[in-house]
Short mmCIF file of all heavy atoms in Angstrom, two decimals:
data_model
loop_
_atom_site.label_atom_id
_atom_site.label_comp_id
_atom_site.label_asym_id
_atom_site.label_seq_id
_atom_site.Cartn_x
_atom_site.Cartn_y
_atom_site.Cartn_z
N LEU A 1 -21.62 -30.43 3.99
CA LEU A 1 -21.22 -29.12 3.45
C LEU A 1 -22.61 -28.60 2.74
O LEU A 1 -23.05 -29.45 1.90
CB LEU A 1 -20.02 -29.13 2.53
CG LEU A 1 -19.70 -27.98 1.79
CD1 LEU A 1 -19.18 -26.82 2.74
CD2 LEU A 1 -18.56 -28.30 0.78
N TYR A 2 -22.99 -27.39 2.99
CA TYR A 2 -24.16 -26.87 2.35
C TYR A 2 -23.74 -25.55 1.58
O TYR A 2 -22.96 -24.84 2.00
CB TYR A 2 -25.19 -26.45 3.38
CG TYR A 2 -25.65 -27.44 4.19
CD1 TYR A 2 -24.99 -27.76 5.46
CD2 TYR A 2 -26.79 -28.37 3.76
CE1 TYR A 2 -25.51 -28.81 6.28
CE2 TYR A 2 -27.15 -29.37 4.58
CZ TYR A 2 -26.57 -29.68 5.81
OH TYR A 2 -26.92 -30.66 6.54
N TYR A 3 -24.42 -25.36 0.42
CA TYR A 3 -24.26 -24.15 -0.26
C TYR A 3 -25.46 -23.75 -1.09
O TYR A 3 -26.38 -24.63 -1.28
CB TYR A 3 -22.93 -24.16 -1.28
CG TYR A 3 -23.20 -25.26 -2.38
CD1 TYR A 3 -23.69 -24.92 -3.70
CD2 TYR A 3 -22.83 -26.67 -2.11
CE1 TYR A 3 -23.77 -25.89 -4.47
CE2 TYR A 3 -22.93 -27.55 -3.19
CZ TYR A 3 -23.45 -27.19 -4.34
OH TYR A 3 -23.59 -28.16 -5.32
N THR A 4 -25.69 -22.48 -1.38
CA THR A 4 -26.80 -22.04 -2.17
C THR A 4 -26.45 -21.37 -3.34
O THR A 4 -25.54 -20.60 -3.35
CB THR A 4 -27.66 -21.03 -1.31
OG1 THR A 4 -27.99 -21.67 -0.08
CG2 THR A 4 -28.93 -20.62 -2.09
N LEU A 5 -27.00 -21.72 -4.53
CA LEU A 5 -26.78 -21.06 -5.76
C LEU A 5 -27.78 -20.06 -6.12
O LEU A 5 -28.99 -20.31 -5.99
CB LEU A 5 -26.75 -22.11 -6.89
CG LEU A 5 -25.74 -23.26 -6.79
CD1 LEU A 5 -25.93 -24.22 -7.90
CD2 LEU A 5 -24.29 -22.67 -6.81
N THR A 6 -27.47 -18.94 -6.65
CA THR A 6 -28.39 -17.91 -7.07
C THR A 6 -27.94 -17.35 -8.47
O THR A 6 -26.99 -16.83 -8.56
CB THR A 6 -28.37 -16.75 -6.04
OG1 THR A 6 -28.69 -17.20 -4.79
CG2 THR A 6 -29.62 -15.73 -6.41
N THR A 7 -28.88 -17.86 -9.49
CA THR A 7 -28.59 -17.44 -10.88
C THR A 7 -29.83 -16.96 -11.40
O THR A 7 -30.92 -17.20 -10.78
CB THR A 7 -28.04 -18.53 -11.65
OG1 THR A 7 -29.02 -19.58 -11.82
CG2 THR A 7 -26.60 -19.11 -11.12
N GLY A 8 -29.85 -16.45 -12.66
CA GLY A 8 -31.09 -16.18 -13.32
C GLY A 8 -31.85 -17.32 -13.92
O GLY A 8 -32.97 -17.08 -14.27
N ASP A 9 -31.16 -18.50 -14.02
CA ASP A 9 -31.79 -19.70 -14.63
C ASP A 9 -32.48 -20.45 -13.42
O ASP A 9 -32.04 -20.42 -12.34
CB ASP A 9 -30.79 -20.50 -15.32
CG ASP A 9 -30.19 -19.77 -16.44
OD1 ASP A 9 -30.80 -18.85 -17.01
OD2 ASP A 9 -28.90 -20.06 -16.67
N SER A 10 -33.60 -21.26 -13.85
CA SER A 10 -34.14 -22.13 -12.87
C SER A 10 -33.21 -23.21 -12.56
O SER A 10 -33.16 -23.67 -11.32
CB SER A 10 -35.43 -22.76 -13.53
OG SER A 10 -36.39 -21.68 -13.78
N TYR A 11 -32.48 -23.69 -13.38
CA TYR A 11 -31.61 -24.90 -13.22
C TYR A 11 -30.32 -24.62 -13.79
O TYR A 11 -30.24 -23.87 -14.78
CB TYR A 11 -32.13 -26.24 -13.76
CG TYR A 11 -33.28 -26.66 -13.05
CD1 TYR A 11 -34.64 -26.34 -13.29
CD2 TYR A 11 -33.11 -27.62 -11.88
CE1 TYR A 11 -35.70 -26.88 -12.68
CE2 TYR A 11 -34.21 -28.19 -11.20
CZ TYR A 11 -35.51 -27.66 -11.62
OH TYR A 11 -36.51 -28.17 -10.95
N GLN A 12 -29.21 -24.98 -13.15
CA GLN A 12 -27.83 -24.54 -13.61
C GLN A 12 -27.04 -25.84 -13.47
O GLN A 12 -27.01 -26.58 -12.57
CB GLN A 12 -27.34 -23.65 -12.72
CG GLN A 12 -25.97 -23.02 -13.01
CD GLN A 12 -26.03 -22.15 -14.32
OE1 GLN A 12 -26.88 -21.37 -14.58
NE2 GLN A 12 -24.99 -22.13 -15.00
N THR A 13 -26.14 -26.06 -14.51
CA THR A 13 -25.24 -27.19 -14.47
C THR A 13 -23.94 -26.71 -13.62
O THR A 13 -23.41 -25.65 -13.99
CB THR A 13 -24.84 -27.61 -15.89
OG1 THR A 13 -25.94 -28.04 -16.60
CG2 THR A 13 -23.68 -28.73 -15.82
N VAL A 14 -23.52 -27.54 -12.72
CA VAL A 14 -22.53 -26.96 -11.80
C VAL A 14 -21.43 -28.09 -11.80
O VAL A 14 -21.60 -29.24 -11.68
CB VAL A 14 -22.94 -26.80 -10.45
CG1 VAL A 14 -21.90 -26.58 -9.40
CG2 VAL A 14 -24.11 -25.77 -10.35
N SER A 15 -20.28 -27.63 -12.00
CA SER A 15 -19.03 -28.47 -11.83
C SER A 15 -18.42 -28.13 -10.53
O SER A 15 -18.02 -27.02 -10.23
CB SER A 15 -17.97 -28.01 -12.99
OG SER A 15 -16.76 -28.83 -12.70
N LEU A 16 -18.32 -29.17 -9.70
CA LEU A 16 -17.85 -29.04 -8.31
C LEU A 16 -16.61 -29.82 -8.07
O LEU A 16 -16.47 -30.89 -8.50
CB LEU A 16 -19.01 -29.62 -7.40
CG LEU A 16 -18.66 -29.61 -5.92
CD1 LEU A 16 -20.09 -29.32 -5.14
CD2 LEU A 16 -18.07 -30.95 -5.48
N GLN A 17 -15.54 -29.15 -7.43
CA GLN A 17 -14.36 -29.78 -7.12
C GLN A 17 -13.97 -29.41 -5.82
O GLN A 17 -14.12 -28.27 -5.33
CB GLN A 17 -13.20 -29.38 -8.13
CG GLN A 17 -13.40 -29.85 -9.51
CD GLN A 17 -12.22 -29.54 -10.38
OE1 GLN A 17 -11.44 -28.65 -9.97
NE2 GLN A 17 -12.10 -30.17 -11.60
N ILE A 18 -13.41 -30.48 -5.02
CA ILE A 18 -12.85 -30.04 -3.78
C ILE A 18 -11.39 -30.50 -3.74
O ILE A 18 -11.05 -31.67 -4.01
CB ILE A 18 -13.65 -30.93 -2.59
CG1 ILE A 18 -15.04 -30.37 -2.45
CG2 ILE A 18 -12.95 -30.75 -1.18
CD1 ILE A 18 -16.00 -31.04 -1.50
N HIS A 19 -10.51 -29.69 -3.26
CA HIS A 19 -9.00 -29.89 -3.19
C HIS A 19 -8.69 -29.81 -1.67
O HIS A 19 -9.22 -29.01 -0.89
CB HIS A 19 -8.27 -28.77 -3.95
CG HIS A 19 -8.65 -28.78 -5.38
ND1 HIS A 19 -7.93 -29.40 -6.26
CD2 HIS A 19 -9.67 -28.15 -6.00
CE1 HIS A 19 -8.45 -29.20 -7.49
NE2 HIS A 19 -9.45 -28.43 -7.31
N ASP A 20 -7.64 -30.63 -1.36
CA ASP A 20 -7.14 -30.63 0.00
C ASP A 20 -6.17 -29.37 0.09
O ASP A 20 -5.85 -28.60 -0.85
CB ASP A 20 -6.53 -31.96 0.54
CG ASP A 20 -5.37 -32.38 -0.36
OD1 ASP A 20 -4.77 -31.48 -1.12
OD2 ASP A 20 -5.01 -33.52 -0.15
N ALA A 21 -5.65 -29.25 1.37
CA ALA A 21 -4.75 -28.17 1.61
C ALA A 21 -3.32 -28.23 0.66
O ALA A 21 -2.70 -27.25 0.42
CB ALA A 21 -4.35 -28.15 3.02
N ALA A 22 -2.99 -29.36 0.20
CA ALA A 22 -1.83 -29.66 -0.62
C ALA A 22 -2.18 -29.35 -2.12
O ALA A 22 -1.26 -29.46 -2.92
CB ALA A 22 -1.24 -31.01 -0.34
N GLY A 23 -3.49 -29.19 -2.39
CA GLY A 23 -3.91 -28.78 -3.78
C GLY A 23 -4.34 -30.07 -4.50
O GLY A 23 -4.67 -29.98 -5.68
N ARG A 24 -4.33 -31.19 -3.87
CA ARG A 24 -4.80 -32.50 -4.57
C ARG A 24 -6.24 -32.56 -4.61
O ARG A 24 -7.06 -32.09 -3.74
CB ARG A 24 -4.22 -33.67 -3.75
CG ARG A 24 -2.83 -33.99 -3.70
CD ARG A 24 -2.46 -35.06 -2.93
NE ARG A 24 -2.88 -34.92 -1.47
CZ ARG A 24 -1.93 -34.75 -0.55
NH1 ARG A 24 -0.69 -34.73 -0.71
NH2 ARG A 24 -2.44 -34.50 0.66
N LEU A 25 -6.85 -32.93 -5.83
CA LEU A 25 -8.17 -33.06 -6.06
C LEU A 25 -8.66 -34.26 -5.27
O LEU A 25 -8.22 -35.44 -5.40
CB LEU A 25 -8.40 -33.21 -7.56
CG LEU A 25 -9.94 -33.40 -7.94
CD1 LEU A 25 -10.71 -32.14 -7.69
CD2 LEU A 25 -10.02 -33.86 -9.38
N VAL A 26 -9.72 -34.12 -4.30
CA VAL A 26 -10.12 -35.20 -3.52
C VAL A 26 -11.56 -35.62 -3.85
O VAL A 26 -12.10 -36.64 -3.51
CB VAL A 26 -9.92 -34.94 -2.07
CG1 VAL A 26 -8.53 -34.88 -1.65
CG2 VAL A 26 -10.81 -33.58 -1.61
N MET A 27 -12.24 -34.61 -4.50
CA MET A 27 -13.69 -34.98 -5.02
C MET A 27 -14.09 -34.09 -6.12
O MET A 27 -13.66 -32.94 -6.21
CB MET A 27 -14.56 -34.66 -3.76
CG MET A 27 -15.99 -34.99 -3.99
SD MET A 27 -17.04 -34.68 -2.40
CE MET A 27 -16.32 -35.87 -1.26
N ALA A 28 -14.83 -34.74 -6.99
CA ALA A 28 -15.24 -33.87 -8.17
C ALA A 28 -16.61 -34.43 -8.66
O ALA A 28 -16.81 -35.79 -8.50
CB ALA A 28 -14.23 -34.06 -9.28
N ALA A 29 -17.56 -33.57 -9.15
CA ALA A 29 -18.88 -34.06 -9.60
C ALA A 29 -19.42 -32.92 -10.54
O ALA A 29 -19.01 -31.75 -10.31
CB ALA A 29 -19.72 -34.20 -8.32
N ASP A 30 -20.14 -33.36 -11.54
CA ASP A 30 -20.99 -32.42 -12.31
C ASP A 30 -22.41 -32.80 -12.02
O ASP A 30 -22.88 -33.92 -11.92
CB ASP A 30 -20.66 -32.69 -13.79
CG ASP A 30 -19.28 -32.11 -14.27
OD1 ASP A 30 -18.84 -31.21 -13.54
OD2 ASP A 30 -18.76 -32.82 -15.15
N ARG A 31 -23.17 -31.75 -11.68
CA ARG A 31 -24.59 -31.94 -11.44
C ARG A 31 -25.48 -30.71 -11.86
O ARG A 31 -24.92 -29.62 -12.12
CB ARG A 31 -24.79 -32.01 -9.84
CG ARG A 31 -23.82 -31.41 -8.97
CD ARG A 31 -24.24 -31.42 -7.59
NE ARG A 31 -23.53 -32.46 -6.83
CZ ARG A 31 -23.54 -32.64 -5.61
NH1 ARG A 31 -24.18 -31.76 -4.79
NH2 ARG A 31 -22.83 -33.54 -4.98
N VAL A 32 -26.65 -31.03 -12.06
CA VAL A 32 -27.70 -30.03 -12.46
C VAL A 32 -28.51 -29.70 -11.08
O VAL A 32 -29.02 -30.56 -10.59
CB VAL A 32 -28.61 -30.51 -13.58
CG1 VAL A 32 -29.78 -29.42 -13.83
CG2 VAL A 32 -27.83 -30.84 -14.77
N GLN A 33 -28.48 -28.44 -10.81
CA GLN A 33 -29.11 -28.06 -9.61
C GLN A 33 -30.05 -26.89 -9.74
O GLN A 33 -29.87 -26.00 -10.64
CB GLN A 33 -27.99 -27.72 -8.46
CG GLN A 33 -27.13 -28.80 -8.29
CD GLN A 33 -26.01 -28.57 -7.19
OE1 GLN A 33 -25.46 -27.40 -7.21
NE2 GLN A 33 -25.59 -29.64 -6.65
N ARG A 34 -31.03 -26.77 -8.93
CA ARG A 34 -31.90 -25.77 -8.92
C ARG A 34 -31.54 -24.38 -8.15
O ARG A 34 -30.88 -24.59 -7.13
CB ARG A 34 -33.25 -26.11 -8.21
CG ARG A 34 -34.39 -25.27 -8.41
CD ARG A 34 -35.76 -25.80 -7.94
NE ARG A 34 -35.76 -26.42 -6.68
CZ ARG A 34 -36.16 -25.68 -5.54
NH1 ARG A 34 -36.60 -24.50 -5.64
NH2 ARG A 34 -36.11 -26.37 -4.36
N THR A 35 -31.57 -23.34 -8.83
CA THR A 35 -31.10 -22.03 -8.23
C THR A 35 -31.92 -21.69 -7.01
O THR A 35 -33.05 -21.99 -7.02
CB THR A 35 -31.08 -20.89 -9.32
OG1 THR A 35 -30.54 -19.78 -8.67
CG2 THR A 35 -32.52 -20.56 -9.71
N GLY A 36 -31.32 -21.18 -6.09
CA GLY A 36 -32.01 -20.68 -4.79
C GLY A 36 -32.20 -21.81 -3.87
O GLY A 36 -32.64 -21.60 -2.68
N ALA A 37 -31.87 -23.19 -4.23
CA ALA A 37 -32.03 -24.26 -3.42
C ALA A 37 -30.94 -24.47 -2.47
O ALA A 37 -29.72 -24.00 -2.91
CB ALA A 37 -32.37 -25.57 -4.09
N ILE A 38 -31.09 -24.95 -1.25
CA ILE A 38 -29.84 -25.32 -0.50
C ILE A 38 -29.31 -26.74 -1.01
O ILE A 38 -30.07 -27.75 -0.98
CB ILE A 38 -30.18 -25.32 1.00
CG1 ILE A 38 -30.69 -24.05 1.50
CG2 ILE A 38 -29.01 -26.02 1.85
CD1 ILE A 38 -31.27 -23.95 2.90
N ASN A 39 -28.18 -26.62 -1.32
CA ASN A 39 -27.57 -27.93 -1.95
C ASN A 39 -26.44 -28.50 -0.96
O ASN A 39 -25.94 -27.72 -0.16
CB ASN A 39 -26.85 -27.62 -3.22
CG ASN A 39 -27.81 -27.05 -4.23
OD1 ASN A 39 -28.62 -27.81 -4.82
ND2 ASN A 39 -27.81 -25.70 -4.48
N THR A 40 -26.37 -29.78 -1.04
CA THR A 40 -25.33 -30.43 -0.15
C THR A 40 -24.32 -31.21 -0.79
O THR A 40 -24.55 -31.69 -1.93
CB THR A 40 -26.15 -31.40 0.89
OG1 THR A 40 -26.78 -32.48 0.05
CG2 THR A 40 -27.10 -30.68 1.79
N VAL A 41 -23.20 -31.32 -0.23
CA VAL A 41 -22.06 -32.17 -0.64
C VAL A 41 -21.78 -33.10 0.51
O VAL A 41 -21.51 -32.64 1.56
CB VAL A 41 -20.84 -31.42 -0.93
CG1 VAL A 41 -19.76 -32.32 -1.46
CG2 VAL A 41 -21.22 -30.35 -2.04
N ASN A 42 -21.76 -34.39 0.30
CA ASN A 42 -21.46 -35.31 1.44
C ASN A 42 -19.93 -35.37 1.56
O ASN A 42 -19.25 -35.96 0.50
CB ASN A 42 -22.09 -36.66 0.97
CG ASN A 42 -21.73 -37.74 2.12
OD1 ASN A 42 -21.08 -37.57 3.05
ND2 ASN A 42 -22.45 -38.93 1.99
N THR A 43 -19.40 -34.98 2.64
CA THR A 43 -17.86 -34.93 2.84
C THR A 43 -17.55 -35.89 3.90
O THR A 43 -16.40 -35.82 4.42
CB THR A 43 -17.43 -33.51 3.22
OG1 THR A 43 -18.12 -33.07 4.30
CG2 THR A 43 -17.72 -32.57 2.03
N THR A 44 -18.34 -36.93 4.26
CA THR A 44 -18.12 -37.89 5.29
C THR A 44 -16.89 -38.74 5.04
O THR A 44 -16.19 -39.15 5.99
CB THR A 44 -19.27 -38.78 5.63
OG1 THR A 44 -19.61 -39.47 4.46
CG2 THR A 44 -20.45 -37.99 6.15
N SER A 45 -16.55 -38.91 3.77
CA SER A 45 -15.42 -39.75 3.41
C SER A 45 -14.08 -38.98 3.59
O SER A 45 -12.95 -39.63 3.44
CB SER A 45 -15.45 -40.26 1.98
OG SER A 45 -15.53 -39.20 1.07
N LEU A 46 -14.11 -37.68 3.69
CA LEU A 46 -12.84 -36.88 3.83
C LEU A 46 -12.37 -36.79 5.33
O LEU A 46 -13.18 -36.64 6.17
CB LEU A 46 -13.21 -35.43 3.40
CG LEU A 46 -13.58 -35.14 1.94
CD1 LEU A 46 -13.89 -33.79 1.67
CD2 LEU A 46 -12.57 -35.71 0.86
N PRO A 47 -11.20 -36.90 5.52
CA PRO A 47 -10.59 -36.87 6.76
C PRO A 47 -10.60 -35.32 7.19
O PRO A 47 -10.81 -34.44 6.46
CB PRO A 47 -9.07 -37.24 6.65
CG PRO A 47 -8.79 -37.16 5.20
CD PRO A 47 -10.13 -37.30 4.41
N SER A 48 -10.46 -35.10 8.53
CA SER A 48 -10.39 -33.76 9.13
C SER A 48 -9.23 -32.91 8.39
O SER A 48 -8.24 -33.53 8.10
CB SER A 48 -10.14 -33.84 10.55
OG SER A 48 -11.17 -34.43 11.27
N GLY A 49 -9.51 -31.66 8.08
CA GLY A 49 -8.48 -30.79 7.42
C GLY A 49 -9.15 -29.68 6.76
O GLY A 49 -10.25 -29.30 6.89
N ILE A 50 -8.22 -28.90 6.18
CA ILE A 50 -8.67 -27.63 5.49
C ILE A 50 -8.90 -28.01 3.87
O ILE A 50 -8.00 -28.67 3.30
CB ILE A 50 -7.55 -26.51 5.53
CG1 ILE A 50 -7.34 -26.21 6.91
CG2 ILE A 50 -7.87 -25.40 4.65
CD1 ILE A 50 -6.25 -25.31 7.11
N TYR A 51 -9.90 -27.55 3.34
CA TYR A 51 -10.31 -27.87 1.95
C TYR A 51 -10.75 -26.67 1.22
O TYR A 51 -11.12 -25.60 1.83
CB TYR A 51 -11.39 -28.92 1.95
CG TYR A 51 -11.07 -30.22 2.45
CD1 TYR A 51 -11.25 -30.44 3.79
CD2 TYR A 51 -10.43 -31.17 1.69
CE1 TYR A 51 -10.83 -31.71 4.27
CE2 TYR A 51 -10.01 -32.38 2.24
CZ TYR A 51 -10.18 -32.69 3.53
OH TYR A 51 -9.87 -33.81 4.00
N TYR A 52 -10.64 -26.78 -0.15
CA TYR A 52 -11.10 -25.60 -0.94
C TYR A 52 -12.23 -26.19 -1.89
O TYR A 52 -11.97 -27.14 -2.49
CB TYR A 52 -9.92 -25.18 -1.77
CG TYR A 52 -8.85 -24.68 -0.79
CD1 TYR A 52 -7.80 -25.42 -0.46
CD2 TYR A 52 -8.94 -23.32 -0.21
CE1 TYR A 52 -6.82 -24.96 0.51
CE2 TYR A 52 -7.99 -22.85 0.69
CZ TYR A 52 -6.93 -23.72 1.01
OH TYR A 52 -5.97 -23.32 1.88
N LEU A 53 -13.29 -25.51 -1.89
CA LEU A 53 -14.45 -25.80 -2.75
C LEU A 53 -14.48 -24.89 -4.06
O LEU A 53 -14.30 -23.71 -3.75
CB LEU A 53 -15.77 -25.63 -1.99
CG LEU A 53 -17.04 -25.78 -2.77
CD1 LEU A 53 -17.15 -27.24 -3.37
CD2 LEU A 53 -18.18 -25.31 -1.96
N GLU A 54 -14.50 -25.54 -5.15
CA GLU A 54 -14.56 -24.66 -6.34
C GLU A 54 -15.81 -25.14 -7.08
O GLU A 54 -16.06 -26.24 -7.38
CB GLU A 54 -13.28 -24.98 -7.31
CG GLU A 54 -13.25 -24.19 -8.56
CD GLU A 54 -12.04 -24.60 -9.36
OE1 GLU A 54 -10.98 -24.32 -8.92
OE2 GLU A 54 -12.28 -25.22 -10.52
N LEU A 55 -16.59 -24.00 -7.39
CA LEU A 55 -17.80 -24.30 -8.19
C LEU A 55 -17.79 -23.45 -9.46
O LEU A 55 -17.31 -22.37 -9.41
CB LEU A 55 -19.07 -23.72 -7.45
CG LEU A 55 -19.39 -24.47 -6.10
CD1 LEU A 55 -20.49 -23.71 -5.33
CD2 LEU A 55 -19.80 -25.83 -6.36
N LYS A 56 -17.97 -24.10 -10.63
CA LYS A 56 -17.99 -23.48 -11.89
C LYS A 56 -19.39 -23.62 -12.51
O LYS A 56 -19.87 -24.72 -12.62
CB LYS A 56 -16.96 -24.26 -12.82
CG LYS A 56 -15.50 -24.08 -12.36
CD LYS A 56 -14.66 -24.63 -13.35
CE LYS A 56 -13.17 -24.66 -12.98
NZ LYS A 56 -12.30 -25.30 -13.86
N MET A 57 -19.89 -22.46 -12.92
CA MET A 57 -21.16 -22.43 -13.69
C MET A 57 -20.95 -21.60 -14.81
O MET A 57 -20.92 -20.39 -14.76
CB MET A 57 -22.19 -21.83 -12.67
CG MET A 57 -22.40 -22.52 -11.40
SD MET A 57 -23.66 -21.68 -10.29
CE MET A 57 -22.83 -20.28 -9.84
N GLY A 58 -20.97 -22.25 -15.98
CA GLY A 58 -20.66 -21.45 -17.24
C GLY A 58 -19.29 -20.86 -17.18
O GLY A 58 -18.34 -21.55 -16.91
N LYS A 59 -19.25 -19.53 -17.40
CA LYS A 59 -18.02 -18.71 -17.22
C LYS A 59 -17.70 -18.24 -15.81
O LYS A 59 -16.65 -17.65 -15.66
CB LYS A 59 -18.00 -17.61 -18.14
CG LYS A 59 -18.11 -18.05 -19.60
CD LYS A 59 -18.13 -16.91 -20.60
CE LYS A 59 -18.25 -17.47 -21.98
NZ LYS A 59 -18.22 -16.34 -22.98
N LYS A 60 -18.55 -18.56 -14.80
CA LYS A 60 -18.43 -17.96 -13.51
C LYS A 60 -17.70 -19.07 -12.61
O LYS A 60 -17.95 -20.32 -12.81
CB LYS A 60 -19.61 -17.69 -12.87
CG LYS A 60 -20.41 -16.48 -13.56
CD LYS A 60 -21.67 -16.25 -12.79
CE LYS A 60 -22.43 -14.95 -13.46
NZ LYS A 60 -23.71 -14.72 -12.89
N LYS A 61 -16.85 -18.80 -11.76
CA LYS A 61 -16.15 -19.54 -10.90
C LYS A 61 -16.10 -18.98 -9.53
O LYS A 61 -15.80 -17.81 -9.31
CB LYS A 61 -14.75 -19.69 -11.44
CG LYS A 61 -13.83 -20.70 -10.75
CD LYS A 61 -12.59 -20.74 -11.51
CE LYS A 61 -11.41 -21.38 -10.89
NZ LYS A 61 -10.12 -21.43 -11.51
N TYR A 62 -16.42 -19.88 -8.57
CA TYR A 62 -16.38 -19.46 -7.09
C TYR A 62 -15.48 -20.39 -6.33
O TYR A 62 -15.52 -21.67 -6.52
CB TYR A 62 -17.80 -19.58 -6.57
CG TYR A 62 -18.90 -18.76 -7.40
CD1 TYR A 62 -19.58 -19.28 -8.37
CD2 TYR A 62 -19.02 -17.44 -6.92
CE1 TYR A 62 -20.48 -18.45 -9.12
CE2 TYR A 62 -19.99 -16.51 -7.68
CZ TYR A 62 -20.70 -17.19 -8.74
OH TYR A 62 -21.47 -16.35 -9.44
N LEU A 63 -14.76 -19.82 -5.46
CA LEU A 63 -13.83 -20.57 -4.58
C LEU A 63 -14.14 -20.14 -3.06
O LEU A 63 -14.27 -19.08 -2.72
CB LEU A 63 -12.31 -20.19 -4.90
CG LEU A 63 -11.80 -20.43 -6.29
CD1 LEU A 63 -10.53 -19.80 -6.43
CD2 LEU A 63 -11.78 -21.95 -6.50
N ARG A 64 -14.25 -21.14 -2.26
CA ARG A 64 -14.44 -21.07 -0.87
C ARG A 64 -13.54 -22.04 -0.14
O ARG A 64 -13.44 -23.19 -0.62
CB ARG A 64 -15.86 -21.25 -0.49
CG ARG A 64 -16.82 -20.18 -1.04
CD ARG A 64 -16.60 -18.82 -0.42
NE ARG A 64 -17.53 -17.84 -0.89
CZ ARG A 64 -17.27 -16.88 -1.79
NH1 ARG A 64 -16.04 -17.02 -2.42
NH2 ARG A 64 -18.10 -16.13 -2.21
N SER A 65 -13.08 -21.70 0.92
CA SER A 65 -12.32 -22.67 1.87
C SER A 65 -13.40 -23.15 2.89
O SER A 65 -14.25 -22.40 3.33
CB SER A 65 -11.10 -22.05 2.51
OG SER A 65 -11.43 -20.95 3.25
N PHE A 66 -12.90 -24.29 3.56
CA PHE A 66 -13.73 -24.82 4.72
C PHE A 66 -12.90 -25.78 5.43
O PHE A 66 -11.99 -26.37 4.89
CB PHE A 66 -15.15 -25.49 4.30
CG PHE A 66 -14.92 -26.71 3.39
CD1 PHE A 66 -15.03 -27.97 4.08
CD2 PHE A 66 -14.80 -26.72 2.14
CE1 PHE A 66 -15.04 -29.18 3.46
CE2 PHE A 66 -14.78 -27.86 1.36
CZ PHE A 66 -14.89 -29.10 2.12
N ILE A 67 -13.23 -25.85 6.70
CA ILE A 67 -12.45 -26.77 7.63
C ILE A 67 -13.40 -27.89 7.96
O ILE A 67 -14.58 -27.56 8.50
CB ILE A 67 -12.05 -25.91 8.86
CG1 ILE A 67 -11.02 -24.90 8.46
CG2 ILE A 67 -11.31 -26.96 9.87
CD1 ILE A 67 -10.60 -23.95 9.60
N LYS A 68 -13.01 -29.17 7.89
CA LYS A 68 -13.69 -30.29 8.23
C LYS A 68 -13.08 -30.77 9.57
O LYS A 68 -11.99 -30.94 9.63
CB LYS A 68 -13.64 -31.42 7.23
CG LYS A 68 -14.52 -32.56 7.80
CD LYS A 68 -14.80 -33.52 6.71
CE LYS A 68 -15.76 -34.56 7.33
NZ LYS A 68 -15.28 -35.98 7.07
N LEU A 69 -13.96 -30.82 10.55
CA LEU A 69 -13.50 -31.24 11.92
C LEU A 69 -13.65 -32.72 12.09
O LEU A 69 -14.38 -33.38 11.43
CB LEU A 69 -14.27 -30.49 12.98
CG LEU A 69 -14.14 -29.06 12.88
CD1 LEU A 69 -15.11 -28.26 14.05
CD2 LEU A 69 -12.62 -28.53 13.15
#
């Protein structure tokens, strides 16, 4: 899974959570990432299905869904 962050800061602390279709938390991490860079999340341990990615940066929150085949 790839994503790009765009903020005004050079580096940003990101809280990342992945939930399955039933709403269960299946992955969580806090990391410091460079803005504008392509970032990756290793999802090889997750079975096929529908998931929801939640990224929190300060007071901002982003939600995206994805399908793992």
Side-chain angles (χ1 to χ4, degrees):
L1 175 65
Y2 300 94
Y3 63 93
T4 303
L5 300 176
T6 305
T7 65
D9 299 327
S10 296
Y11 289 88
Q12 185 73 32
T13 301
V14 177
S15 174
L16 176 144
Q17 293 185 345
I18 297 178
H19 298 266
D20 65 12
R24 294 181 294 249
L25 179 66
V26 295
M27 188 179 292
D30 288 328
R31 34 172 98 171
V32 176
Q33 298 178 330
R34 188 167 54 95
T35 187
I38 296 174
N39 300 285
T40 61
V41 178
N42 185 349
T43 59
T44 56
S45 65
L46 299 177
S48 296
I50 298 172
Y51 294 93
Y52 301 95
L53 170 67
E54 179 180 300
L55 296 173
K56 292 181 185 176
M57 298 177 297
K59 295 181 181 183
K60 295 180 182 180
K61 182 174 166 180
Y62 301 93
L63 297 171
R64 295 290 181 262
S65 60
F66 67 96
I67 298 172
K68 178 164 185 229
L69 302 176

